[in-house]
Amino acid sequence: EAGVTQFPSHSVIEKGQTVTLRCDPISGHDNLYWYRRVMGKEIKFLLHFVKESKQDESGMPNNRFLAERTGGTYSTLKVQPAELEDSGVYFCASSRDNNYGYTFGSGTRLTVV
Amino acid sequence: KNEVEQSPQNLTAQEGEFITINCSYSVGISALHWLQQHPGGGIVSLFMLSSGKKKHGRLIATINIQEKHSSLHITASHPRDSAVYICAVISQKLVFGQGTRLTINP
């Protein structure tokens, strides 16, 4: 089966601009997770979708971050407006069952300058 | 203090050495992941375990639920093993350790 796909792999944007990250989970995986790793820190949970519903968005840092999963397939994570501290690697993972059998994407490295 | 602590944070060794990376956690878990992140950035799940020991090739992972501790071992290490190794526990959600940067020199 195809893995979890993230796009773009790298993005460099200026402070104040908008960026949209995309994650295509493994087909049939209802659970989709977003994580972020900022420089020198551990990976942190952002949010969890079950199909198209947000199951847990407790890790979203602020209202500049908007995640959607229309139709329960792919998900987007939009940062608007981007700030310098948003730089990091954003990972997506999917699983068939919650908390079991995660498959991670390759990540999107976001640099805000 | 993080809920998941890894040691060491950085490890440099010579090719062929036996490598051990440790992970301690302070929360109740249902399972634990060992993940590998290569310089390109992608994360690969190496193991998921909830008890005992698992082996895949030169990699061995063990977990002691009572002691809340897991170890990842690499036998006959090779430069291509150079990566960041991350321990992540499944509690209410995945909680990650800070990672161990492993460098194997030829």
Side-chain angles (χ1 to χ4, degrees), chain A residues 46-63:
Chain A
L46 294 178
L47 87 159
H48 169 207
F49 282 100
V50 178
K51 296 185 181 179
E52 68 273 12
S53 299
K54 292 176 185 174
Q55 181 78 8
D56 181 353
E57 52 184 330
S58 60
M60 294 287 264
N62 52 62
N63 60 9

Side-chain angles (χ1 to χ4, degrees), chain A residues 3-54:
Chain A
V4 176
T5 305
Q6 290 189 245
F7 181 84
S9 56
H10 294 86
S11 180
V12 181
I13 62 170
E14 292 184 351
K15 177 182 170 181
Q17 287 187 318
T18 297
V19 64
T20 300
L21 314 181
R22 173 170 168 148
C23 170
D24 286 70
I26 290 175
S27 178
H29 281 194
D30 287 342
N31 295 277
L32 187 150
Y33 313 83
W34 282 98
Y35 301 92
R36 177 173 75 168
R37 183 171 197 160
V38 297
M39 182 72 73
K41 305 273 189 176
E42 66 271 18
I43 299 171
K44 293 282 194 184
F45 168 83
L46 294 178
L47 87 159
H48 169 207
F49 282 100
V50 178
K51 296 185 181 179
E52 68 273 12
S53 299
K54 292 176 185 174

Side-chain angles (χ1 to χ4, degrees), chain B residues 16-34:
Chain B
E17 287 189 39
F18 181 81
I19 303 298
T20 295
I21 299 170
N22 295 300
C23 174
S24 296
Y25 53 91
S26 57
V27 294
I29 70 168
S30 56
L32 180 147
H33 275 274
W34 279 103

Side-chain angles (χ1 to χ4, degrees), chain A residues 10 35 37 40-45 56 58-59 89 91 98-107 109, chain B residues 2 30 33 35 37 39-45 48 84 86 90-99:
Chain A
H10 294 86
Y35 301 92
R37 183 171 197 160
K41 305 273 189 176
E42 66 271 18
I43 299 171
K44 293 282 194 184
F45 168 83
D56 181 353
S58 60
V89 181
F91 291 100
N98 185 27
N99 272 340
Y100 186 85
Y102 293 84
T103 300
F104 284 86
S106 298
R109 183 175 296 278
Chain B
N2 291 338
S30 56
H33 275 274
L35 309 169
Q37 183 181 16
I43 290 181
V44 174
S45 178
M48 187 176 75
V84 176
I86 303 167
I90 301 173
S91 181
Q92 298 288 334
K93 54 184 70 127
L94 264 185
V95 181
F96 295 82
Q98 73 272 40

Side-chain angles (χ1 to χ4, degrees), chain B residues 2 9-10 12 26 29 39 42 51-52 55 58 60 62 66-69 71 75-76 78-79 87 89-90 95 104:
Chain B
N2 291 338
Q9 291 192 357
N10 293 282
T12 300
S26 57
I29 70 168
S51 65
K55 184 176 189 294
R58 295 180 294 105
I60 303 165
T62 64
Q66 287 73 31
E67 295 186 3
K68 295 188 174 180
H69 181 268
S71 293
T75 61
H78 189 277
C87 169
V89 301
I90 301 173
V95 181
I104 303 296

